[in-house]
Amino acid sequence: MRMLITAGATREMLDPVRFISNLSTGRMGYMLAEVARKRKHKVVLISAPTSLTAPAEVEFISVISTQQMLSAVKRCFSKADCLIMCAAVADYRPYTVVKEKIRRAKKSLLLRLIQTPDILAQISREKAGKILVGFSLEDKDYIKRSREKLKRKGLDFIVVNRIQKGGSPFGESKVYGAILDKEGDIERFKGIGKEDLAQRILNKVEALWARRSEKEGGDK
Ligand code: C5P
């Protein structure tokens, strides 16, 4: 398969030296790219900044902001069979980017933010027969909320990472959560490693692709 994978935490600049971002390390997306490559898929990895090295034999595209990631995904999507949006995309960006460094002058500063484009929701309008996988990070009602997200963003699968009490899964070696599909099936995972999770996700993607290809063959 031709797989397009995103990873990392997008950055939204506030002034020339400051940005808004999140704690994602990018490890899950890089692991997916590596495992997919080992399985002989053709992989394009679009990455926001991380401290990781791109896996071998993967086409690597480096981006910084959500807007840049959206442009790169749009450019590559038509040549992909599957998009796995593993990147932790910033939901908001500063309404204006201040041209010069903001000085420490006022006692308080009000920051006005505006929503970034939802890459998955936009791209799913051009989905055709491609497989779309999203990720979701939730605490309360994590299954219900992720189901809604799967529907709203037009996904085939959503990988739910559950926020454990008092913590965040970013940078953790063990993950907890579930993979949901659009038929309503749930596969839960508890305290597994990221490589194991990558294998499970790719098993599902490959199985769906095989079913679709079989059906297409049968329809002809
Ligand atoms: O809505 P939420 O941010 O929880 O959705 C998470 C999923 O949507 C992830 O797969 C993420 O990569 C993707 N996303 C996106 N564009 C955004 C925000 C999130 O594609 N602006």
Side-chain angles (χ1 to χ4, degrees):
M1 289 178 71
R2 299 168 300 172
M3 294 201 175
L4 183 57
I5 300 171
T6 68
T10 59
R11 288 181 183 175
E12 306 301 331
M13 296 311 287
L14 188 57
D15 72 9
V17 293
R18 302 184 179 97
F19 57 82
I20 298 178
S21 192
N22 60 70
L23 286 172
S24 171
T25 61
R27 278 183 43 225
M28 188 67 230
Y30 278 58
M31 182 58 81
L32 273 163
E34 193 179 322
V35 174
R37 186 58 212 132
K38 282 191 186 145
R39 291 184 179 207
K40 307 285 178 224
H41 297 296
K42 184 174 180 294
V43 181
V44 177
L45 176 63
I46 301 176
S47 179
T50 70
S51 59
L52 306 171
T53 311
E57 298 175 353
V58 160
E59 186 184 333
F60 186 75
I61 301 173
S62 167
V63 297
I64 298 174
S65 67
T66 303
Q67 188 57 48
Q68 287 172 358
M69 185 168 275
L70 173 66
S71 305
V73 169
K74 276 188 170 166
R75 227 174 33 243
C76 300
F77 191 61
S78 65
K79 287 187 235 109
D81 301 315
C82 164
L83 167 65
I84 306 182
M85 272 299 297
C86 192
V89 182
D91 289 321
Y92 290 90
R93 65 170 170 81
Y95 187 72
T96 47
V97 182
V98 182
K99 288 214 167 59
E100 285 174 10
K101 186 182 167 194
I102 301 168
R103 304 280 151 201
R104 188 187 153 89
K106 294 182 201 157
K107 274 270 177 244
S108 70
L109 206 61
L110 204 60
L111 205 55
R112 185 169 177 208
L113 303 175
I114 185 165
Q115 251 187 21
T116 54
D118 189 320
I119 302 172
L120 265 180
Q122 278 200 26
I123 216 76
S124 72
R125 293 186 214 130
E126 304 158 28
K127 187 179 172 197
K130 301 174 198 293
I131 295 175
L132 284 193
V133 183
F135 277 70
S136 139
L137 180 61
E138 298 286 354
D139 43 20
K140 268 188 290 175
D141 299 330
Y142 66 103
I143 297 287
K144 185 169 164 267
R145 287 188 178 172
S146 301
R147 274 228 171 88
E148 285 163 8
K149 215 174 283 180
L150 177 138
K151 225 173 169 186
R152 177 160 40 86
K153 301 198 189 210
L155 309 176
D156 295 288
F157 300 105
I158 192 157
V159 182
V160 190
N161 273 292
R162 201 177 161 186
I163 304 175
Q164 298 295 106
K165 265 197 192 99
S168 124
F170 289 139
E172 288 294 325
S173 54
K174 300 275 178 234
V175 284
Y176 297 78
I179 307 175
L180 316 183
D181 69 15
K182 65 171 191 271
E183 271 72 49
D185 282 347
I186 304 184
E187 180 181 319
R188 290 177 200 270
F189 52 86
K190 225 178 181 180
I192 63 169
K194 288 188 177 169
E195 181 172 358
D196 190 353
L197 180 56
Q199 303 281 9
R200 292 184 196 206
I201 295 166
L202 292 174
N203 287 346
K204 288 194 179 290
V205 168
E206 287 172 2
L208 177 59
W209 189 249
R211 285 200 300 278
R212 281 198 189 158
S213 308
E214 232 166 67
K215 190 170 174 292
E216 262 173 34
D219 288 346
K220 275 179 193 159

